[in-house]
Amino acid sequence: MEKKLDDRYYELLRTLQEADFVLLELTLYLDTHPNDLQAIQQFNQMAVHRRQIACEYESEYGPLLQYGLSFSRYPWDWINTPWPWQV
């Protein structure tokens, strides 16, 4: 069952992608600079921010991740499309 997607959907998805990009870059940096406290703090702040955005996204549009990493509402959400990777 395909839903009509609003601007908020795309805004939240873009914000998640931006947070994922920052977290990936910080991970790569910290792999070579493991004692950079400021970078670790920045990573942790972004991880909290990403969790908040993901929670907001999932409460409005359904799960992002499978295998128990995201909850499902009733009825089962995974049959609803499009999935985040399809847009």
Side-chain angles (χ1 to χ4, degrees):
M1 171 170 61
E2 194 162 331
K3 297 181 199 177
K4 182 174 180 347
L5 302 174
D6 57 13
D7 290 341
R8 179 85 175 130
Y9 174 88
Y10 292 105
E11 177 187 337
L12 287 172
L13 197 58
R14 186 184 71 246
T15 303
L16 279 169
Q17 292 168 336
E18 290 168 353
D20 286 343
F21 177 80
V22 170
L23 288 166
L24 175 61
E25 290 296 312
L26 284 168
T27 296
L28 294 172
Y29 174 79
L30 285 165
D31 284 347
T32 58
H33 300 80
N35 297 316
D36 188 333
L37 178 59
Q38 188 175 13
I40 294 169
Q41 290 170 335
Q42 192 176 13
F43 177 90
N44 290 334
Q45 289 171 350
M46 184 57 67
V48 168
H49 174 68
R50 195 223 181 268
R51 282 189 196 145
Q52 291 168 340
I53 298 301
C55 183
E56 192 175 339
Y57 174 95
E58 290 182 330
S59 71
E60 292 182 39
Y61 301 104
L64 283 165
L65 303 169
Q66 185 49 289
Y67 307 112
L69 298 173
S70 292
F71 293 100
S72 178
R73 294 178 291 219
Y74 180 84
W76 183 246
D77 278 355
W78 282 103
I79 61 171
N80 297 330
T81 60
W83 294 290
W85 58 88
Q86 292 180 308
V87 293

